[in-house]
Amino acid sequence: MKTIDKDLLLSSYDYDLPNELIANFPILPKENAKLLVYERCKDQILHLHFKDLAKILPPCEIIFNDTKVIKARIYGFKESGSKIELFINHPLKNNDFLVQIRGKVKEGRILYFENSLKAKIKKLHDDGTREVEFFNDEKKFNHHEVFEILEKIGHIPLPPYIKRADEAQDNINYQSIFAKNQGAVAAPTASLHFDEAMIKELKKNHNIHTITLHVGAGTFKGVECEDIREHKMHSEFFYVDDETCALINSSKKILGVGTTVTRCIEYYHRKKLKEGFCDLFLHPQNTPQRLDFLLTNFHLPKSTLIILVASFIGREKTLELYHEAIKNNYRFYSYGDGMLII
């Protein structure tokens, strides 16, 4: 039996995180969040803050994700009157949606929500997801009409590791300042650290660009196979405008703000597709070909996201940096602190 390289074993990406280091709220002001900087050429670790980013960042172009998080969680009732919770994963063709539903449902049944919104169960999948269409007594709604209704009745879909109900302030804190294109059900969290003052400071020496990648619920889906090469990566809709395509096609240095930007840039670089569904899985045997620098948060153990970081700097160095962050009481996950790899 052939021995598999440890870099390809899911169990090799595990680490222990004290519960108190899981951030339930963001640090405000945003510039006070911690920033662990890893300088690869010197193999050196620096402990800084986001307010130091403009001073330490090498010459490069910066790309953010301008997706906007929709209020993807809604509560309603079945025909029997029993309560139901529905979470939107992502839009499908024909204006349907792929969703998760807490509670048993059957094909053809109707669910009832506020503002006369109804959902019909069209298909049940073995993985627990469901296909639904949304309508009221007059019409079936298209994707954007559903998004508008969700803005009125929905809840910001905080990640499952944040053990509290969403609050009004999350409507602001869980959106990046670039958020404009509706469709994500999770925030591109590295972008959450930036406010207008920080962007103004960065623009003095760096150009800012955006791509759109609608983060799906698959970002929280765990890897279930021990050989990570067997993992089937979730796909997410993306769009890259002409200006950003030209940048990626150039030889200029690029900083990707977040794992979503990273995957989108690398997918475009390989496929030369401006629009479509990105399902690229970066790992130590499928390393970045175009991106130079990475800014990201600290991610869940054994997730595709921590494996993506390892595709830049290797598994052992990634875990070393994570243990260094834990030792220095960095805050982890969506509302947590960040890491810059240069």
Side-chain angles (χ1 to χ4, degrees):
M1 183 176 176
K2 189 176 179 181
T3 303
I4 300 177
D5 188 312
K6 285 190 73 174
D7 289 348
L8 301 174
L9 293 176
L10 180 62
S11 54
S12 299
Y13 293 89
D14 200 6
Y15 67 91
D16 293 321
L17 181 70
N19 284 335
E20 61 268 22
L21 295 185
I22 299 175
N24 282 306
F25 295 91
I27 288 288
L28 298 174
K30 295 180 177 185
E31 65 177 14
N32 287 347
K34 292 180 181 179
L35 181 64
L36 188 153
V37 180
Y38 177 55
E39 296 180 304
R40 286 175 285 186
C41 61
K42 300 177 182 177
D43 191 25
Q44 176 176 296
I45 299 170
L46 301 175
H47 295 288
L48 303 175
H49 293 85
F50 268 83
K51 60 188 173 187
D52 303 312
L53 179 62
K55 290 180 285 187
I56 194 157
L57 193 62
C60 63
E61 308 285 307
I62 305 174
I63 302 182
F64 287 87
N65 186 355
D66 66 8
T67 189
K68 185 175 182 179
V69 180
I70 61 173
K71 294 185 177 180
R73 182 172 282 113
I74 53 177
Y75 300 94
F77 298 90
K78 293 195 285 188
E79 293 164 317
S80 64
S82 58
K83 293 181 179 180
I84 204 87
E85 176 185 330
L86 183 148
F87 180 83
I88 289 177
N89 281 20
H90 58 77
L92 298 169
K93 295 178 181 178
N94 303 320
N95 288 310
D96 293 340
F97 285 84
L98 188 72
V99 305
Q100 293 168 291
I101 298 173
R102 183 173 292 177
K104 290 184 178 181
V105 292
K106 297 179 179 179
E107 285 187 17
R109 294 296 171 88
I110 308 296
L111 307 178
Y112 300 85
F113 303 94
E114 295 177 60
N115 285 37
S116 302
L117 181 68
K118 301 175 186 177
K120 181 178 181 180
I121 312 297
K122 297 183 72 173
K123 194 170 183 180
L124 307 179
H125 293 289
D126 292 338
D127 65 358
T129 58
R130 283 79 175 92
E131 293 182 22
V132 305
E133 65 177 26
F134 288 100
F135 65 100
N136 64 11
D137 290 335
E138 286 79 40
K139 60 180 287 192
K140 176 180 177 176
F141 295 116
N142 64 37
H143 292 150
H144 290 289
E145 288 170 330
V146 172
F147 292 156
E148 292 304 313
I149 295 171
L150 292 177
E151 277 297 309
K152 299 173 184 174
I153 71 170
H155 295 260
I156 283 288
L158 292 178
Y161 44 74
I162 294 181
K163 304 298 185 184
R164 63 175 177 83
D166 63 300
E167 301 176 3
Q169 193 62 30
D170 291 309
N171 295 329
I172 299 171
N173 292 339
Y174 201 61
Q175 298 281 14
S176 81
I177 62 170
F178 293 98
K180 68 175 184 178
N181 294 313
Q182 289 183 312
V185 300
T189 55
S191 300
L192 299 183
H193 294 287
F194 293 86
D195 57 23
E196 294 293 348
M198 290 182 65
I199 295 299
K200 184 178 180 181
E201 188 68 21
L202 283 171
K203 282 183 175 179
K204 290 178 181 179
N205 295 301
H206 300 83
N207 295 317
I208 305 291
H209 311 265
T210 59
I211 57 93
T212 302
L213 186 142
H214 292 321
V215 193
T219 193
F220 300 118
K221 188 177 186 295
V223 180
E224 296 176 347
C225 38
E226 180 61 5
D227 184 339
I228 63 173
R229 294 171 298 182
E230 297 174 1
H231 175 66
K232 180 172 171 53
M233 190 70 173
H234 60 283
S235 63
E236 296 160 320
F237 175 81
F238 76 94
Y239 171 76
V240 187
D241 64 28
D242 290 339
E243 178 189 306
T244 307
C245 286
L247 167 60
I248 300 170
N249 291 334
S250 76
S251 59
K252 293 179 179 178
K253 298 284 188 181
I254 297 176
L255 166 69
V257 181
T259 58
T260 60
V261 169
T262 299
R263 290 192 297 107
C264 186
I265 291 170
E266 290 293 325
Y267 191 84
Y268 171 79
H269 177 70
R270 297 165 197 218
K271 304 285 188 179
K272 300 303 180 189
L273 296 173
K274 290 180 53 181
E275 183 175 349
F277 287 86
C278 175
D279 60 356
L280 180 63
F281 181 25
L282 293 172
H283 56 73
Q285 283 194 1
N286 186 25
T287 57
Q289 299 173 5
R290 177 62 184 93
L291 203 65
D292 301 283
F293 312 125
L294 172 66
L295 177 65
T296 187
N297 280 21
F298 294 95
H299 304 293
L300 288 162
K302 299 196 289 187
S303 65
T304 60
L305 307 179
I306 191 174
I307 295 171
L308 180 147
V309 177
S311 76
F312 274 84
I313 57 175
R315 177 185 59 83
E316 291 183 354
K317 180 58 67 173
T318 298
L319 292 174
E320 178 188 330
L321 297 183
Y322 270 57
H323 290 137
E324 179 75 7
I326 292 169
K327 185 174 74 175
N328 286 275
N329 292 314
Y330 277 65
R331 303 162 76 253
F332 275 56
Y333 306 158
S334 294
Y335 275 153
D337 298 312
M339 174 197 294
L340 175 66
I341 299 170
I342 56 177

